[in-house]
């Protein structure tokens, strides 16, 4: 009897740990005008903490090196069905972003994938006294599945005159992978269907 109770408790404990983590989103809404659905993860802080150009009584305000947001849009009207990875990066100097494959992801399995990003001139952020650039990248479905199963160790951003590399800690790698998986589950891409 005691052995049966132990096995039952073990099975319940295993089932409870197998349940997916509770996903939270910054947006999960349908546009009332064109029926486009947008699902976005919560922002994930990546990289190190850096000093901004905003001075406080205790010195410069400390900020995240970058933040990432993973999202998916779909529309029945015009067949839009795309994943996007947005990386917000504060920069000390003017660094316009050209259109092209300027964002590279280095995965834990030693592969590197370049993502196509849209141009951006940046905006001045009064909270940091720096320019904030938004690297919005299209994520193909095959890369989506790679992101959902393989951790991203580093991100390389190629500006016109400079390269910036952002290394993710193990915790940040896990948070990004979980954000990607949550968006995929919300829009029906996970679990993967053969």
């Amino acid at each position: 009897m005691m052995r049966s109770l132990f096995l039952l408790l073990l099975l319940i404990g295993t089932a409870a740990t197998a349940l997916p983590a509770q996903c939270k989103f910054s947006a999960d809404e349908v546009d009332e005008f064109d029926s486009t659905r947008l699902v976005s993860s919560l922002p994930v802080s990546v990289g190190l903490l850096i000093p901004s150009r905003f001075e406080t009584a205790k010195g410069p305000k400390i900020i995240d090196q970058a933040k990432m947001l993973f999202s998916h849009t779909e529309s029945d009207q015009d067949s839009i069905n795309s994943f996007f990875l947005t990386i917000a990066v504060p920069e000390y100097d003017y660094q316009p972003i050209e259109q092209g494959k300027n964002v590279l992801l280095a995965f834990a399995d030693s592969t590197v994938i370049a993502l196509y990003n849209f141009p951006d001139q940046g905006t001045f952020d009064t909270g940091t006294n720096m320019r904030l650039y938004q690297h919005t990248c299209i994520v193909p479905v095959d890369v989506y599945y790679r992101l959902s199963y393989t951790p991203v160790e580093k991100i390389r951003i190629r500006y016109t005159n400079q390269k910036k590399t952002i290394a993710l800690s193990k915790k940040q790698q896990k948070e990004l992978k979980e954000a990607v998986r949550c968006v995929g589950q919300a829009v029906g891409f996970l679990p993967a269907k053969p």
Side-chain angles (χ1 to χ4, degrees), residues 43-178:
V44 176
S45 295
V46 292
L48 304 171
L49 294 175
I50 61 171
S52 72
R53 287 195 170 152
F54 187 87
E55 289 294 325
T56 68
K58 295 181 180 180
K61 179 180 180 181
I62 303 300
I63 59 172
D64 292 313
Q65 188 176 14
K67 288 190 181 230
M68 299 177 75
L69 184 80
F70 194 78
S71 57
H72 181 268
T73 60
E74 60 184 325
S75 173
D76 295 334
Q77 292 182 353
D78 53 11
S79 312
I80 295 174
N81 193 5
S82 300
F83 288 104
F84 295 95
L85 180 64
T86 304
I87 309 166
V89 182
E91 293 289 351
Y92 296 109
D93 300 313
Y94 181 65
Q95 299 285 356
I97 303 165
E98 298 299 325
Q99 171 175 307
K101 293 193 172 186
N102 299 320
V103 174
L104 297 113
L105 304 178
F107 289 88
D109 64 3
S110 299
T111 58
V112 175
I113 293 177
L115 296 177
Y116 183 87
N117 68 288
F118 297 99
D120 185 41
Q121 298 298 313
T123 56
F124 185 75
D125 179 14
T126 57
T128 61
N129 286 338
M130 297 169 70
R131 288 191 76 78
L132 183 63
Y133 291 91
Q134 186 169 299
H135 303 270
T136 303
C137 306
I138 299 170
V139 178
V141 174
D142 61 324
V143 177
Y144 162 76
Y145 284 114
R146 181 179 292 273
L147 281 166
S148 64
Y149 289 103
T150 308
V152 174
E153 292 184 331
K154 292 182 182 177
I155 300 163
R156 161 79 45 94
I157 299 170
R158 293 187 293 206
Y159 294 108
T160 305
N161 299 323
Q162 164 187 336
K163 295 176 185 173
K164 174 177 251 178
T165 302
I166 301 168
L168 282 72
S169 68
K170 294 289 184 190
K171 181 180 180 219
Q172 292 168 348
Q173 293 173 27
K174 183 179 177 184
E175 288 173 353
L176 176 60
K177 192 168 74 166
E178 194 58 40

